[in-house]
Amino acid sequence: MERMNELFWFVMLLCNFTLIMFAFRRWGKLGLFIWVPISVIVANIQVTKNVMLFGLEATLGNIVYATGFLATDILTEFYGKKESAKAVAIGFFSLLTMTVLMQVALFFEPASSDIAQPSLSVIFGLMPRIAFGSLVAYVISNLHDIWAFDFWKRKRPGRNTLWLRNNLSTFASQLIDTLVFTLIAFWGVYPTAVLIQIMLSTYLLKWVVAMLDTPFMYLARHWYENGKLPASPI
């Protein structure tokens, strides 16, 4: 079954890259603004599920969350730091809103015919701590990613070094995100050995996603430079 998990992981990876590039190709900059809150909300739901991947215990959500860095890197590359910061703010607001609304939903007394309350309680009962850890990690890591990408863009401009600034900024930012989120969300929840495994697997899987998203950065550049993107309303 673990081998099936690896297969599903690659399928999910392909789905995420396909969807984010579809959004960018279809709606341009707006598509990336749409994708950022999707990635944050979906990641924070998926992260409640633990799986075995490549011999390590890991949480889901790593792929979709990591593609948020791809979105902000594309925004920084072609539209500037202010647009990336705007996307991060939208993602922050979306996660905060989802957390508040779902916590209020749990207070409602379910009807006798209800079948959803136990499942919602399990998933979203964990959400305040997970969301707090995610919000803190999200803001710190994404603002660092925007700064780092812009820094390397100024130091190493041009098409040939796009892969360098994309990976250097993302590797460091995802390490920050992994450490901050895991310690806040799961410290005391899991034994130390499991916590370290989750931390290690989370970063390694995000690192793989960051490596594999480089061709999509160049695809985005091709579309941008050749006028294949629609005019954005924002």
Side-chain angles (χ1 to χ4, degrees):
M1 194 64 185
E2 287 181 28
R3 291 180 181 177
M4 290 299 293
N5 279 349
E6 279 86 33
L7 175 61
F8 293 145
W9 190 84
F10 282 109
V11 170
M12 186 179 289
L13 183 68
L14 180 60
C15 287
N16 275 267
F17 283 145
T18 301
L19 289 169
I20 188 174
M21 298 312 292
F22 173 84
F24 186 48
R25 183 70 175 82
R26 179 67 178 82
W27 296 294
K29 181 173 65 173
L30 176 61
L32 300 178
F33 279 94
I34 294 170
W35 182 259
V36 168
I38 290 174
S39 66
V40 176
I41 291 174
V42 172
N44 276 269
I45 295 174
Q46 289 185 345
V47 79
T48 59
K49 182 171 182 174
N50 285 13
V51 296
M52 293 300 296
L53 285 169
F54 307 103
L56 293 172
E57 188 163 347
T59 58
L60 285 182
N62 297 320
I63 296 175
V64 65
Y65 189 82
T67 56
F69 288 94
L70 173 60
T72 55
D73 283 352
I74 294 174
L75 285 169
T76 304
E77 176 72 10
F78 305 124
Y79 305 104
K81 289 197 302 181
K82 287 185 178 180
E83 295 303 295
S84 292
K86 186 190 298 183
V88 171
I90 291 172
F92 181 92
F93 175 75
S94 301
L95 178 57
L96 183 63
T97 300
M98 186 269 286
T99 303
V100 171
L101 294 180
M102 290 311 301
Q103 292 308 302
V104 174
L106 292 179
F107 285 116
F108 282 78
E109 187 69 28
S112 58
S113 60
D114 175 77
I115 60 172
Q117 180 71 10
S119 299
L120 290 176
S121 297
V122 170
I123 295 173
F124 294 103
L126 293 171
M127 191 58 68
R129 181 170 176 174
I130 290 175
F132 177 70
S134 183
L135 287 168
V136 174
Y138 176 77
V139 171
I140 295 174
S141 62
N142 276 273
L143 291 180
H144 176 272
D145 185 63
I146 294 170
W147 172 84
F149 190 95
D150 183 70
F151 172 82
W152 288 111
K153 184 180 179 181
R154 287 183 281 108
K155 291 290 185 181
R156 296 288 187 272
R159 170 186 285 272
N160 293 336
T161 53
L162 176 57
W163 67 272
L164 181 67
R165 51 185 177 270
N166 175 50
N167 287 304
L168 287 179
S169 63
T170 302
F171 289 164
S173 301
Q174 289 181 342
L175 178 60
I176 294 170
D177 178 81
T178 300
L179 292 174
V180 174
F181 171 74
T182 307
L183 290 175
I184 293 177
F186 298 130
W187 181 265
V189 176
Y190 298 114
T192 303
V194 174
L195 186 67
I196 292 173
Q197 244 189 95
I198 290 175
M199 199 177 295
L200 178 62
S201 63
T202 297
Y203 182 64
L204 288 176
L205 292 174
K206 288 179 180 177
W207 187 85
V208 171
V209 176
M211 289 289 291
L212 294 176
D213 75 17
T214 302
F216 297 95
M217 283 292 297
Y218 280 93
L219 178 60
R221 173 176 281 278
H222 172 75
W223 288 345
Y224 181 81
E225 291 179 340
N226 290 277
K228 296 182 180 296
L229 298 171
S232 178
I234 57 175

